[in-house]
């Protein structure tokens, strides 16, 4: 749809705080970027928030949506029973050409399901994936998948790598992203059956593949993309979040433990503030939903206005940089690999679960990123 300015449809009812936070995030994004926004949700509630922010005349479009998909709703039920929900209508705006992308802090499984069934997948992509952007010692990196697909085939991992490569180049500005494959050892030949096959396929691809990486390598910044299935990725993501919170609490406890520690804290406020900003999830906005015929950003349910603002900026950057066009080019170059299918017949692979090719979008097993 893109003409002069990217237009982002925002699920105003999503997240733990609904319009009270989403509207403020959208207004902040309008003030700091050249874009348009469409707020989708219950019009009366949205207008009340605009009034409260003294922004009743703000240049925003409102599209009324009476229904709201709650966090506890099963995605498949939401698809069938809540066709007038804010999430579904937001994706329909993209399909109709009225918007270029969607941002939602609502039910992540429903967001994936609505995006999948409304927009469809890019040709050559079997399973859309959620990409997390994590801080490292050097610069942000991409972890994919972080929860959309808990069971994967090797060629799915290759497709994830291709999508994350485009994300790293288009949004993070990395000229030639270094790709690592999550395994239990750095040496070639380490890992389970899925990882070993994916390793061989990635080595033959056009990507800047650096081989296997271990969990301890994620935050060193030595690779720009780490590829894994959604089960492993979600564990890594949640462990990282929990560790960051615990370290922050431990650090605060120690800094306030005694007089001299408190004195030292006064001189370290600037450094502590910068450290807190680097590990704050709000700095990265949300998790891009890659592989759809359109842009989708899934935000944390507890997102504040800052997180929503940054997620809207990310969606606009995707549109401005024509990221999906670049992905289609990558898929064309690696066509033989992304269409790869391997029938497992040997007895040594009998323990490997064989998955159906169609995406199981019931999403009951979709982890909330």
């Amino acid at each position: 749809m893109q003409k002069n300015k990217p237009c982002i449809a925002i699920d105003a009812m999503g997240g733990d705080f609904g319009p009270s936070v989403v509207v403020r995030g959208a207004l902040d994004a309008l003030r700091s970027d050249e874009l348009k926004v469409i707020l989708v949700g219950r019009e009366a509630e949205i207008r009340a928030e605009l009034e409260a922010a003294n922004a009743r005349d703000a240049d925003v479009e409102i599209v009324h949506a009476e229904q709201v998909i709650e966090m506890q709703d099963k995605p498949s039920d939401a698809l069938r029973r809540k066709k007038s929900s804010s999430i579904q209508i937001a994706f329909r705006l993209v399909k109709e050409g009225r918007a270029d992308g969607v941002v939602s802090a609502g039910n992540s499984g429903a967001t994936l399901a609505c995006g999948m069934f409304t927009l469809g997948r890019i040709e050559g992509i079997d399973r859309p994936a959620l990409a997390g952007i994590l801080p490292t010692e050097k610069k942000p990196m991409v972890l994919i998948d972080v929860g959309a697909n808990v069971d994967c085939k090797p060629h799915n991992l290759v497709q994830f790598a291709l999508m994350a490569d485009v994300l790293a180049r288009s949004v993070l500005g990395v000229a030639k992203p270094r790709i690592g494959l999550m395994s239990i050892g750095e040496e070639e030949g380490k890992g389970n059956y899925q990882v070993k096959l994916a390793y061989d396929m990635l080595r033959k691809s056009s990507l800047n593949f650096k081989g296997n990486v271990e969990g301890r390598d994620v935050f060193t910044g030595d690779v720009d993309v780490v590829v894994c299935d959604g089960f492993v990725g979600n564990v890594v993501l949640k462990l990282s979040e929990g560790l960051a919170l615990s370290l922050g609490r431990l650090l605060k406890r120690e800094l306030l433990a005694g007089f001299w520690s408190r004195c030292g804290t006064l001189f370290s406020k600037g450094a502590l503030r910068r450290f807190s900003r680097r590990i704050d999830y709000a700095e990265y906005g949300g998790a891009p939903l890659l592989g759809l015929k359109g842009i989708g950003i899934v935000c944390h349910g507890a997102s504040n206005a800052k997180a929503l603002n940054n997620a809207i900026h990310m969606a606009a950057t995707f549109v401005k940089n024509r990221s999906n066009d670049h992905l289609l080019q990558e898929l064309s170059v690696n066509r033989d690999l992304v269409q790869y299918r391997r029938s497992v017949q040997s007895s040594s692979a009998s323990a490997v679960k064989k998955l159906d090719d169609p995406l199981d979008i019931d999403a009951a097993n979709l982890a909330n990123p």
Side-chain angles (χ1 to χ4, degrees):
M1 173 237 171
Q2 184 188 9
K3 295 178 177 63
N4 297 322
K5 298 179 182 179
C7 180
I8 310 302
I10 304 166
D11 170 19
M13 311 308 295
D16 296 343
F17 310 107
S20 64
V21 164
V22 176
V23 170
R24 283 191 288 121
L27 292 173
D28 290 342
L30 280 173
R31 296 186 189 104
S32 57
D33 201 353
E34 288 292 316
L35 52 80
K36 299 177 181 179
V37 299
I38 301 176
L39 293 171
V40 185
R42 291 170 178 158
E43 184 172 357
E45 295 182 36
I46 294 172
R47 292 200 181 279
E49 292 301 331
L50 289 171
E51 181 83 21
N54 294 318
R56 68 172 70 90
D57 297 324
D59 186 20
V60 300
E61 181 180 352
I62 300 173
V63 172
H64 180 68
E66 184 60 36
Q67 293 179 305
V68 177
I69 297 177
E70 306 293 345
M71 289 296 192
Q72 68 272 15
D73 287 347
K74 189 176 179 180
S76 55
D77 290 341
L79 276 172
R80 290 191 297 267
R81 300 175 184 173
K82 294 189 174 182
K83 298 185 183 297
S84 298
S85 67
S86 52
I87 295 178
Q88 289 217 50
I89 290 177
F91 277 110
R92 284 205 290 271
L93 292 174
V94 176
K95 186 175 183 178
E96 294 166 1
R98 293 176 58 186
D100 298 299
V102 173
V103 171
S104 175
N107 184 312
S108 57
T111 303
L112 172 58
C114 292
M116 171 70 184
F117 281 95
T118 304
L119 301 180
R121 294 167 290 182
I122 290 175
E123 185 178 357
I125 297 296
D126 294 331
R127 292 170 176 255
L130 282 169
I133 300 179
L134 278 62
T136 73
E137 296 174 21
K138 299 171 184 176
K139 55 186 178 181
M141 56 82 66
V142 179
L143 177 68
I144 188 168
D145 178 27
V146 295
N149 306 280
V150 297
D151 292 303
C152 296
K153 290 182 178 180
H155 70 274
N156 296 138
L157 299 183
V158 176
Q159 293 172 7
F160 297 168
L162 290 168
M163 293 190 286
D165 177 78
V166 171
L167 170 63
R169 286 191 280 116
S170 297
V171 175
L172 300 183
V174 182
K176 195 173 178 62
R178 298 160 296 175
I179 312 293
L181 179 63
M182 181 69 78
S183 187
I184 57 172
E186 295 179 354
E187 301 83 2
E188 180 179 356
K190 287 292 184 72
N192 58 19
Y193 184 79
Q194 165 192 272
V195 168
K196 290 176 184 178
L197 281 181
Y199 184 103
D200 291 338
M201 296 169 69
L202 286 167
R203 188 173 54 180
K204 297 172 184 175
S205 73
S206 65
L207 298 172
N208 183 20
F209 180 54
K210 295 300 183 181
N212 290 337
V213 295
E214 298 180 84
R216 64 187 177 190
D217 302 317
V218 172
F219 298 102
T220 62
D222 293 333
V223 292
D224 303 297
V225 173
V226 173
V227 180
C228 55
D229 63 45
F231 186 95
V232 172
N234 195 262
V235 171
V236 172
L237 181 68
K238 295 294 178 59
L239 177 62
S240 304
E241 291 177 350
L243 181 60
L245 290 172
S246 293
L247 286 177
R249 288 191 288 265
L250 287 171
L251 179 61
K252 183 177 181 180
R253 187 184 306 165
E254 292 300 320
L255 290 174
L256 300 177
F259 174 76
W260 292 112
S261 295
R262 288 194 290 271
C263 289
T265 303
L266 293 175
F267 293 100
S268 305
K269 276 189 174 180
L272 291 171
R273 192 176 298 113
R274 290 191 298 273
F275 173 76
S276 177
R277 187 164 55 245
R278 288 190 65 178
I279 63 173
D280 183 6
Y281 75 89
E283 290 292 325
Y284 307 101
L289 179 53
L290 305 177
L292 300 178
K293 293 178 181 177
I295 306 303
I297 307 293
V298 181
C299 302
H300 198 290
S303 290
N304 54 24
K306 178 182 178 181
L308 269 299
N309 177 11
N310 287 333
I312 295 166
H313 283 305
M314 183 187 294
T317 301
F318 260 87
V319 176
K320 292 174 183 177
N321 292 340
R322 304 180 67 86
S323 299
N324 272 356
D325 291 343
H326 296 311
L327 176 55
L328 288 170
Q329 293 171 9
E330 286 284 357
L331 291 168
S332 178
V333 171
N334 296 277
R335 185 175 301 278
D336 291 343
L337 290 176
V338 299
Q339 292 180 345
Y340 176 86
R341 300 289 186 274
R342 184 183 182 94
S343 59
V344 182
Q345 297 178 342
S346 64
S347 59
S348 62
S350 59
V352 178
K353 180 179 179 181
K354 299 176 183 177
L355 303 172
D356 294 331
D357 278 339
L359 179 62
D360 176 11
I361 202 66
D362 180 82
N365 59 357
L366 181 85
N368 188 5

